[in-house]
Amino acid sequence: LLPKRNFKSHNLSAMRSFFQQLATEGAEINAERGRFDLTEKQFNDVHSDLSKVVTFSTATLNAAEMLNQLEDKFKLPVTTTATALKRLQGELIGLELQNMSTGTALAMALRQEGLALRPLKPKGGQLQLHVMLYDASIDTWPVGWKSPASKKKLAPKMFDSLNIEIANYTLEQALEAIVPRIGVPLILDQWILGQLQIDPSKIDVKLSRHKTFLKAALDRVLNQARLIGELRVDELGTPFYWVTQFGKNSLRAE
């Protein structure tokens, strides 16, 4: 009889495995587990590692090059699969993620290649950051988080009230006109755009002239392209506007 674990005489293999795990995990073997099946300390270690700032430009790098530069910042080892490794060598990220936290920035860059980041702690093994193929059924490190602060406090310029009219514009042109005014970066989920074959340069949008918040105008033109925006923060609390698919499969920030 052991704390939180009992073994019977016919189950010696399970008991042997337990003591092997105990040798590597110590007291944490009985600790409560949360997200990613990690203890609170393990999750905090991961969050700390992914809260460092991206100090270099990412726009002209692919995901593999970005990851190589970030590995020097991590205390935890980074692992991957052979299939994921091939995808890392894909096209340029095309996003400027400098000054963003490493966790959110890496989640964005990996997602563009159909990849994701998941913290792993194998039994008897070392806590690690694992790069894997994206699978909607598996919980992975998110692209940003829900902030306890109000949206108006996070992005006050998005709630400026203006007379706005949009006519004879594509979504791409409308975003070019609106985004410089909102005061936070707007980042398109390029993976979803590719999956749903949504091309912002070929989708016409319109908005009849009336006084409205910038955020409301932005959301209305995004909806015309089957997209939805959400104000999120990275691991450092820096806000950004994440634009992804509209509908029941749209993952909301937690």
Side-chain angles (χ1 to χ4, degrees):
L1 305 180
L2 297 168
K4 299 185 179 181
R5 294 293 297 271
N6 296 331
F7 297 96
K8 297 185 178 181
S9 57
H10 66 270
N11 202 7
L12 293 180
S13 61
M15 186 169 68
R16 186 179 296 111
S17 175
F18 174 83
F19 279 109
Q20 289 172 346
Q21 189 179 354
L22 180 63
T24 58
E25 297 190 16
E28 286 190 347
I29 195 169
N30 285 324
E32 290 187 9
R33 306 278 168 167
R35 190 166 184 179
F36 308 116
D37 197 33
L38 301 180
T39 65
E40 183 178 2
K41 180 184 181 304
Q42 289 167 349
F43 183 87
N44 288 339
D45 286 344
V46 172
H47 193 278
S48 175
D49 227 11
L50 296 177
S51 295
K52 299 179 177 70
V53 178
V54 178
T55 57
F56 53 88
S57 176
T58 63
T60 58
L61 304 177
N62 63 25
E65 292 166 335
M66 177 179 170
L67 185 58
N68 286 339
Q69 292 198 44
L70 289 178
E71 279 192 80
D72 292 337
K73 295 178 175 289
F74 296 144
K75 292 181 179 178
L76 299 175
V78 178
T79 60
T80 187
T81 63
T83 305
L85 188 59
K86 289 181 180 178
R87 288 204 186 181
L88 283 169
Q89 306 291 339
E91 297 179 1
L92 301 184
I93 297 169
L95 297 174
E96 185 49 80
L97 304 174
Q98 189 172 10
N99 298 323
M100 188 169 278
S101 66
T102 54
T104 295
L106 188 54
M108 288 179 181
L110 293 176
R111 184 168 173 80
Q112 291 198 168
E113 300 300 329
L115 300 170
L117 184 71
R118 178 175 171 83
L120 284 182
K121 176 61 173 71
K123 288 185 179 180
Q126 186 178 6
L127 183 61
Q128 58 193 251
L129 303 173
H130 186 62
V131 177
M132 54 178 282
L133 294 180
Y134 173 72
D135 184 334
S137 67
I138 298 177
D139 190 18
T140 53
W141 199 259
V143 177
W145 306 82
K146 184 177 181 179
S147 173
S150 70
K151 292 180 174 62
K152 193 168 184 178
K153 186 174 181 179
L154 284 175
K157 290 185 178 180
M158 294 189 78
F159 295 90
D160 286 347
S161 183
L162 299 170
N163 285 311
I164 299 175
E165 180 180 14
I166 298 174
N168 301 316
Y169 269 40
T170 64
L171 175 61
E172 183 177 71
Q173 292 169 329
L175 293 180
E176 287 175 354
I178 295 174
V179 170
R181 295 173 173 265
I182 65 176
V184 297
L186 180 144
I187 301 176
L188 294 167
D189 185 348
Q190 296 292 345
W191 185 74
I192 279 295
L193 295 187
Q195 293 292 305
L196 301 182
Q197 297 183 334
I198 296 175
D199 186 344
S201 68
K202 296 180 179 179
I203 296 176
D204 293 327
V205 296
K206 60 183 179 179
L207 189 63
S208 59
R209 182 178 177 82
H210 67 288
K211 196 168 187 177
T212 186
F213 293 134
L214 274 173
K215 182 180 182 303
L218 176 58
D219 289 342
R220 286 183 64 183
V221 297
L222 289 173
N223 289 345
Q224 292 174 44
R226 295 177 293 147
L227 298 171
I228 189 169
E230 184 179 26
L231 197 59
R232 302 184 178 191
V233 295
D234 66 9
E235 286 74 20
L236 296 169
T238 304
F240 63 95
Y241 206 61
W242 177 243
V243 176
T244 188
Q245 72 187 109
F246 178 85
K248 64 179 181 179
N249 294 323
S250 179
L251 297 178
R252 311 299 287 175
E254 298 178 27

